[in-house]
Every structure is written in C-alpha cells, then in structure tokens.
C-alpha cells in the first residue's frame, strides 16, 4: 500500500519526520529520494546489462553461522558495517544520558530546609520531564549508518534498546515499538487512544479521508459501510478474476521463456495487481499488463508521489508558488485530475446501472455483470458524498495494489534462494491443481502454498512499519507516554526478532504446520502481524490471500524461476512497501510436465465458514 507509507508532511521543517530518516541515514546510501521503481522504464525484455549477481540474503538478514558458502565482497562489507554499528550502539554512543542535575539540586535545597511545596512548584517541569523520560533513549545523529532501508537501523537499535525506545532527533522524537504486548495494547486493547498521525497528513493529497488515513467518526462510518462489500461470495467470485489476470501474465512470460530473455518481475507483479484491483474495486480494466495507457501512467505518478512525500527532506508541495511552477507537482496534479475524472465517470456509470436494476439488496448482494465493490456500495444505498466515495475507491486501489505486488515479488525472490521449498511448492500445486484454473476448494487445499506466502509476509512484511500517534497520555508497558507522541510499530522487528522466533531470518514455511491454523495476529499473540490487528486490521486480507495464492500457484505450475545470471543484487529500499532497489530480474523456463503422484499429504479441507481463519 503506498498508503502505508512511513512519513509525512505539514509539520514544521525542523520536525519533519524525514529529518529522522535523513539524520539516521546518509542520503547517498538510502535511495529515499530516488523515484519509486520506474515501472515505465523497466521493460520485460531484460535488455539492460546487469553487472553482478550477489543476491542471496543481502536484505538485512544476519549472517548465518552455519552458512559455509563463500561470501561475496558485498556481504562481507555488509557484515563489517553491521558489526561496527553494533559495537557503536553497545558502547553507548547513541544513548542519551539523562541529566538528573535538577533533581539533585532539589534534594540539596530540600536538605537546606526549603519547603517541599515551593520546591515542587519550581521543579514541576523537570519532574514531568523525568517522568516521561524513563523509556530507553537513542539519539539520532547516526549519520554514519549506511543502509538500504530505514527499518534496518531500527532493527539494530531494537536489539540494543529492546521492545520500546525513544529515538530523538533534535526537537523531534519517535517511539519505536517492537514488543508484541505493547503492540497489542496500541492496535487493539486501547486502539481508541491512537490516531494515524503523520500518515494521515501525508496521504491527504491522494486519499483525503479514505479508510486508511481517516480517524474518529469518519473512519467508523466508512469502515462500517465498506467491510460488508468484501463478503465471502464476492471474494470467491474474484478467484476467477485472479486466475484470468494471472493467465495473461503467464502468456506474457511464455514469450520470455521461449526467447530466454530476462524479465523484471517486480514491475510485472505491480501491473498484475493493478489490473486485478481496478476490476474488483470499480469494474475498470486498466489492462496494464498489455497497455501503457494514460490512466495507468497517472496511477503510477500518484503512487510515486505518495512515496516521495513520505521520504522527502522538505515538504516542497506546501510552498504555494512551488505548486504552480514545479514540473513534478504539475504532473502530479494533472494525474490526480485524470484519475478523479475517470473515477467520477465510473461512479456515474455505476449509478445508472444500479438505477436500472431491480434491486434486492441483501448481505451477500452481488451484481453478476458488475460484482465490483463500487456497485455494492451504491446498491447498499451508502449515503456518501462523491468526494468521500472517490477517496474510498482511491484508498482501496492503492491499498490493494502495492501490497500484493510486494508480497509476490519477495516470495519469488525467496523461492529463487531455496530450490527445496520451490520444488515442494510445485509438487503441491501439481497435485492439487492439475492444469485447471483454481477453485475455492483448490485454494483450501493449497496449504503449503499458503504457508509459503505467510512465511514470505513474515520476512518481508508489507508495510514494514505501522504508524500511530497517541491522542492522550497512556502507559506502554511500564512506561508512561505523553499525548501526541509519534509511534512507529516495527513489524519488521517483530517478525525478525531472535527472541520471538527460532531461526528468525530463515525462510522456513515448515514453521507453520499444515494441519494447524493459518498464522494470524491472534493465534500468534501479536508477534506476527501480516495484516495488522485490532479494529484497523486490513479489510482486504482474505481477498489478498486468495489473490496471492492463485498467482503464485499458477505461475510456479507453468514455469521455473531463477535469478537471471547477470541480474543486479536484490536489495531493499523503502517505499510504502518494501521495494527492490533494482528490480527482480529473473529467467523463466517453461516446465515440461506436472507430476501425477502426490508427495505432500493433502490435509482435510475446512468448512467454508472457517476459511478465512483456518484455511488460508
Ligand atoms: C497482501 C496484501 C495486503 C497486505 C499485506 C495488507 C496489509 C495491511 C495492513 C498491515 C493494514 C493495517 C495498517 C495499519 O494498521 O496501520 C492494512 C489496512 C488496510 N488494508 Fe490492507 N493489505 C493487503 C491487501 C489489501 C487489499 C487487497 C485491500 C482492499 C481490497 C486492502 C485494504 C486495506 C484497508 C482499506 C485498510 C485500512 C483499514 C482501516 O484502517 O480500517 N488491503 N492492510
């Protein structure tokens, strides 16, 4: 979700959260201002000359001591950098030492006989400060840290400072939370005390008061209106849409397989999921796998802008004159105008359809010709302004697009590193699916496929960080916090914590038993949050799970995938989701035959009612 971006805008410059990232990481090491992966510039033809291939686990994983393969120079440099950083953190270089001078002075004055009420009055401010300063603190002049993505240094700091610490940058401070019970408190038990904070500010230009940035009453009303639209019958009907879109991608890959050309999979996944979500949300065929129409380009301009804003050092879009002269902002405004007018047209068309229909609205209502979410909302009589409806549609478009594309990208990367898992996966798919399009029953039986995706989401959570702001004082674990604290919940840290997971960095789908429930935040007690948790949990979790299973199963059934021999190293960069820095360049080969004999036990299917929790 471009939407689950990490940062922010109308804050004073000095406190602009991106100062965090700027100070935390040197610009040249970050790619923060580098544009969102340029989809238009990545052809599927693999025409570029890639220089080296040092992929493996350059993605923040700690070195595996049992790994005896020869390490690349890049890995060795990375290891050295991490070791140096760990030593610097351990030496206390980044730790803010509290000055207890005022409190010592108060004690001394008290011993001299000055009355306590007077001292209390004089020293109240200092006492408040001390009260709120008990959370371990790290300070932000960490300019020497080099990293591809900002959540990586947060991981290093987490290992030293623990599940909650404050990171200070001049006048600005952020709470970094990576403790499951504190996360549960913020997201679930006391969720009413937290807002989306800076996230809402930065997303305003594209999502307005859409469901992701909205808070309070607007959020409550819109959530209640939208959740029913993703009912079981709708999501089941979408399976066919997922299959057709993936089939189009397969056909595109057929050409690459026959010519042996390398393909850049990340941009293809992005197009696949854009085509799916356009059709599902407002019955619009972007057809982006085949065409680069103006509207597809406009969607990417807006997505890139959301990511740029989340990482820009200066919120230039706030400066009145700049808005009118900057070619980039003009392009963004033009793109927004095109998207908005397209959405207005789609809403108008859908309204006409609904008016002409003999409506019998019920819980699982679905128009067979146009099963879209928009159609459901209009048919339900959802009383909403056209601006709010546009905001909601735009939110769903972005939320459902980037996340799924990122999940597929990192799943294929992980599979390329582990042929054993890949062959077990292909085996299951061959056994369960044969050569037909997947049905709902098939999805229930593709258990290993589903566990591969769960494990990919553990190692590469999308988004890697969730953002909140406290709306009142609260207790986080043993620590009191103030109102208006900006909080980053590091899902990356939770999912890779060595104290919460065995072999935390290892890609191991087997950690999720096939006969157990599919992992989620509840059965994992908030150490695993693929779709968030509490009242603001993702509303598209089942949709996304089906979509990813269908795409993964159909692709690995037809092709073998490996990193192209001259592909650039696969590294991470931060957008709203985790992107690769240079694409995922792969070579695909047509598979010859699906084996007939099952080698993985097919576990009994769950009942349809329990499918969200148990089967996927
Ligand atoms: C694999 C794909 C997906 C992942 C990993 C994912 C992840 C998430 C996460 C972690 C959140 C919680 C954000 C927070 O608490 O700040 C969220 C919220 C949300 N997601 Fe997804 N999502 C995915 C797909 C989708 C799809 C397909 C849709 C829509 C069709 C969608 C719509 C939403 C919406 C509307 C919210 C906001 C809910 C609220 O605040 O009430 N997501 N998603």
């Amino acid at each position: 979700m471009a939407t689950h971006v990490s940062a922010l805008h109308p804050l004073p410059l000095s406190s602009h959260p991106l100062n965090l990232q700027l100070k935390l990481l040197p610009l040249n090491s970050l790619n923060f201002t580098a544009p969102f992966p340029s989809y238009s510039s990545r052809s599927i033809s693999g025409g570029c000359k890639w220089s080296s291939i040092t992929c493996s686990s350059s993605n923040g994983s700690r070195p595996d001591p049992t790994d005896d393969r020869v390490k690349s120079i890049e890995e060795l440099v990375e290891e050295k950098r991490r070791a140096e950083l760990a030593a610097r953190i351990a030496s206390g270089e980044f730790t803010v030492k509290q000055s207890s001078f005022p409190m010592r002075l108060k004690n001394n004055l008290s011993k001299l006989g000055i009355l306590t009420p007077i001292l209390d009055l004089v020293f109240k401010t200092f006492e408040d400060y001390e009260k709120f300063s008990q959370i371990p603190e790290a300070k932000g002049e960490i300019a020497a840290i080099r990293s591809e993505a900002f959540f990586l240094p947060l991981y290093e700091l987490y290992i030293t400072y623990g599940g909650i610490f404050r990171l200070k940058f001049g006048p600005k401070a952020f709470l970094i939370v990576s403790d499951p019970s504190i996360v549960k408190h913020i997201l679930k038990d006391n969720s009413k005390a937290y807002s989306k904070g800076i996230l809402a500010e930065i997303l305003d230009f594209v999502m307005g008061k859409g469901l992701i940035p909205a808070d309070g009453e607007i959020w409550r009303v819109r959530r209640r209106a939208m959740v029913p639209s993703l009912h079981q019958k709708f999501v089941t009907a979408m399976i066919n849409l997922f299959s057709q879109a993936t089939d189009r991608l397969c056909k595109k890959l057929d050409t690459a397989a026959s010519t042996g050309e390398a393909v850049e999979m990340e941009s293809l996944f992005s197009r696949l999921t854009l085509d799916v979500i356009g059709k599902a949300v407002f019955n619009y065929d972007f057809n982006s796998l085949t065409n680069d129409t103006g509207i597809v380009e406009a969607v990417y301009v807006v997505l890139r802008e959301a990511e740029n804003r989340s990482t820009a050092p200066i919120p230039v879009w706030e400066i009145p004159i700049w808005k009118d002269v900057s070619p980039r902002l003009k392009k963004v405004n033009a793109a927004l105008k095109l998207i908005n007018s397209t959405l207005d047209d789609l809403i108008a068309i859908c309204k006409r359809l609904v008016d002409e229909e003999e409506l019998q609205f019920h819980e699982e209502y679905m128009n067979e010709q146009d099963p879209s979410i928009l159609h459901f909302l209009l048919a339900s009589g959802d009383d909403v302004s056209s601006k709010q409806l546009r905001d909601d549609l735009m939110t769903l478009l972005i939320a459902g697009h980037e996340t799924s594309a990122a999940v597929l990208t990192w799943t294929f990367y992980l599979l390329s590193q582990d042929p054993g898992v890949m062959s077990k996966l292909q085996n299951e798919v061959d056994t369960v699916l044969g050569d037909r399009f997947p049905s709902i029953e098939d999805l229930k039986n593709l258990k290993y496929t589903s566990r591969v995706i769960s494990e990919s989401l553990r190692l590469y959570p999308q988004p890697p960080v969730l953002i909140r702001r406290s709306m009142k004082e609260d207790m986080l674990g043993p620590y009191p916090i103030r109102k208006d604290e900006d909080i980053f919940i590091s899902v990356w840290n939770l999912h890779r914590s060595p104290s919460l997971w065995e072999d935390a960095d290892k890609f191991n789908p087997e950690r999720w038993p096939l006969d157990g429930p599919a992992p989620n935040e509840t059965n994992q007690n908030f150490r695993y949050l693929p779709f968030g948790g509490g009242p603001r949990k993702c509303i598209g979790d089942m949709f996304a799970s089906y979509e990813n299973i269908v795409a993964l199963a159909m692709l690995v059934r037809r092709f073998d995938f490996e990193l192209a021999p001259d592909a650039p190293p696969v590294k991470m960069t931060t957008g709203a989701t985790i992107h690769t820095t240079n694409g995922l360049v792969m070579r695909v080969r047509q598979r010859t035959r699906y084996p007939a004999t099952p080698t993985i036990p097919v576990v009994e299917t769950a009942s349809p009612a329990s499918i969200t929790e148990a089967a996927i």
Side-chain angles (χ1 to χ4, degrees), residues 248 252 271 275 286-292:
R248 283 207 296 275
K252 203 163 176 111
R271 285 162 186 270
D275 287 356
F286 283 107
N287 207 0
S288 71
L289 272 169
T290 320
N291 294 319
D292 256 334

Side-chain angles (χ1 to χ4, degrees), residues 207-225:
M207 291 187 198
K209 298 272 177 288
L211 200 56
I212 286 179
D215 282 311
E217 187 58 12
I218 296 186
W219 169 76
R220 208 181 51 77
V221 171
R222 295 317 297 151
R223 175 131 186 153
R224 198 187 287 164

Side-chain angles (χ1 to χ4, degrees), residues 1 4 187 196 199 211-212 214 219 223 226 230 277 281 373 395-396 399-401 403-404 407 457 462-463 466-468 529-533 535-541 543-545 547-548:
M1 280 175 224
H4 300 307
L187 294 184
K196 288 285 180 106
L199 189 73
L211 200 56
I212 286 179
W219 169 76
R223 175 131 186 153
M226 289 171 76
L230 285 129
I277 203 76
V281 173
I373 293 178
T395 302
L396 289 179
H401 166 219
T403 40
S404 287
V407 172
L457 265 166
Q462 314 292 350
L466 304 179
I467 294 176
R468 293 294 188 273
L529 293 177
F531 294 102
R536 303 213 62 159
K537 184 176 173 177
C538 180
I539 63 171
D541 57 345
F543 179 101
S545 300
E547 179 186 16
N548 286 324

